Amino acid sequence: MRGPDECSLCHGTDWRPSWEKAGRRYRRCGSCGFVVADISATEFARLNQETFEGLFEHYVTRSYQPRRLQRYHRRLARLEARVGVGRLLEVGANVGAFLFVARERGWRVEGVEPVDRCARFAREEKGLPVRSVTIEAAKLAPASFDAVYSHAVLEHLTAPLDALEAMTGALRPGGVLYLDTVNARSFTARRLGPAWKLIDPALHHCLWSPATLRIACARAGLEVLAVRTHGVRRRPSAEGRPRGWARVGDELAKLPWSVVARATGRGELVSILARRPREAAPTSVGVIPMTST
């Protein structure tokens, strides 16, 4: 059993101070490098709920933009190359845009989303079976999904291993998991630190890296198939992106760094594709399948 001050990934107790922002701090495990906010789970949940509720209209507007929907088509094609078209669960479905595209492609979709306002929009406006619940509380039928997808969720969780284990339990043997999150080992994190909007203890409880994601997947019983990183940022988030020819110059200046970041695992976002081993047995019993209500 893990002690109260042990790292949830490696059980280390050698914590070192890390970034600070607006009076709140991160700390880094000296053994595995996992970065977590030095904040109570209760306070963090309250702050996150307020943030997501306040951004609801932004999510509705942004999530269904054509460029973003095309990105979802590409990600679904990666999953289909592994498992075909079957049953798909999205963890952290937000307002349902990814599931909307997946349903168009023939997937049988379900989702969980703890922010009720977002989940209700997906259900009532898009007709998608998204429940207002966390993955741990959803009581999913074991081994019932061919694929699980989770975008920009892991950094918001105070007990990420519990969530990963629940995702693994929902996958059939041979099923695949795609997730992405913030890369604390990126060039952007090193260059900008707390000036980067994604480094914020009030918004993101844990910050990952390719190495710590691999550890977490192994702990959850998953076999890692691929790890990728991408993205480089040169300016603090408060400055915004340049426009016109300045934007072109900025992109050209970033190009060498972007290439190196992809090759070395230093891109600002890290994604992982993993599989539940085919010989694995369901990890939970006595649970009920999700419904669309």
Side-chain angles (χ1 to χ4, degrees), residues 8 25 68 112 131 146 166 188 215 220-221 230 236 285 287 292:
S8 60
R25 295 180 176 85
R68 189 168 293 269
V112 294
R131 293 168 60 192
D146 300 288
T188 300
I215 294 170
H230 73 277
V285 295
V287 292
S292 60

Side-chain angles (χ1 to χ4, degrees), residues 212-225:
T212 53
L213 269 182
R214 286 181 178 276
I215 294 170
C217 284
R219 290 282 308 277
L222 292 162
E223 173 191 359
V224 175
L225 302 174

Side-chain angles (χ1 to χ4, degrees), residues 194-264:
W196 184 26
K197 66 180 180 180
L198 299 187
I199 295 180
D200 186 346
L203 178 65
H204 293 151
H205 188 268
C206 44
L207 302 178
W208 299 81
S209 69
T212 53
L213 269 182
R214 286 181 178 276
I215 294 170
C217 284
R219 290 282 308 277
L222 292 162
E223 173 191 359
V224 175
L225 302 174
V227 180
R228 299 178 180 177
T229 74
H230 73 277
V232 172
R233 192 175 302 264
R234 299 173 62 241
R235 304 170 185 272
S237 300
E239 292 186 7
R241 290 186 175 184
R243 298 182 180 276
W245 286 107
R247 175 76 176 271
V248 174
D250 193 64
E251 293 298 319
L252 288 173
K254 288 194 318 185
L255 183 59
W257 289 99
S258 296
V259 173
V260 174
R262 284 180 180 269
T264 61

Side-chain angles (χ1 to χ4, degrees), residues 32 82 114 153 178 180 220 243 255 287:
C32 71
R82 296 282 182 175
V153 170
Y178 172 94
D180 56 27
R243 298 182 180 276
L255 183 59
V287 292

